[in-house]
Amino acid sequence: NTDGKDFSYAATVTDNGRILGQYCYFENDTCVYVISLGITCKEGGSYPVLVNADTGAINVELICGHEINDNERAFYITPFDDIDNTVRTASNIGFAVAMESGQFKVVRFSLAGSTYAIESMLDETIARMEQDKERSESYTSGGSEQYL
């Protein structure tokens, strides 16, 4: 989806509504991976996670972010390059999160078409940012803004 006012995204959704996606924010020219797992957390908290895909396993950190539903928060996935490489090369991906109960929360996603979706979203996002920059520069006196 590239029609948003503040961001664009490419995402996959499970049958029970869990989301994994790359979100690019226009205001600061930044892209991040976001996941919803149906669990709660302390905002700003960092949680280690095992990611398993048909291309291999990696360890990542989830950073607890904004609330998306009652008692559920979005997580930002870091490091970006590790998760980006896995999402672009794998067909399926699973996240295993250790819970306080001693159990694991496991969520799996299909990545069919992920590379195409991400590249299409990025192309549209970059084009939009360039248009916004041109529009902004045409209305800016003195050119005092710095763009990345």
Side-chain angles (χ1 to χ4, degrees):
N1 184 330
T2 57
D3 296 333
K5 177 183 164 200
D6 299 320
F7 61 89
S8 59
Y9 67 91
T12 183
V13 181
T14 66
D15 290 340
N16 59 354
R18 304 297 169 235
I19 298 170
L20 169 64
Q22 185 178 129
Y23 289 71
C24 295
Y25 296 89
F26 304 130
E27 184 176 319
N28 58 8
D29 297 347
T30 302
C31 296
V32 295
Y33 275 93
V34 177
I35 188 170
S36 69
L37 298 169
I39 59 178
T40 61
C41 59
K42 181 180 177 187
E43 189 168 3
S46 178
Y47 306 90
V49 174
L50 175 64
V51 176
N52 192 27
D54 52 323
T55 56
I58 60 171
N59 291 308
V60 298
E61 293 286 323
L62 298 183
I63 309 300
C64 183
H66 62 279
E67 187 172 22
I68 54 177
N69 294 316
D70 290 340
N71 296 321
E72 182 181 0
R73 292 190 172 270
F75 291 90
Y76 304 99
I77 307 170
T78 185
F80 180 90
D81 290 341
D82 291 352
I83 195 66
D84 188 53
N85 183 55
T86 299
V87 167
R88 289 172 180 261
T89 58
S91 331
N92 296 290
I93 192 169
F95 293 80
V97 181
M99 305 297 288
E100 287 180 359
S101 65
Q103 301 292 314
F104 283 90
K105 171 78 175 198
V106 178
V107 179
R108 293 178 183 88
F109 297 91
S110 168
L111 297 174
S114 63
T115 300
Y116 175 78
I118 290 168
E119 289 300 324
S120 296
M121 181 270 300
L122 289 173
D123 288 347
E124 290 288 325
T125 300
I126 290 167
R128 180 170 172 179
M129 288 176 178
E130 288 173 355
Q131 286 177 342
D132 289 350
K133 178 183 174 183
E134 289 170 7
R135 228 178 281 126
S136 175
E137 286 176 347
S138 68
Y139 295 110
T140 302
S141 61
S144 61
E145 286 83 6
Q146 180 178 359
Y147 297 96
L148 299 175

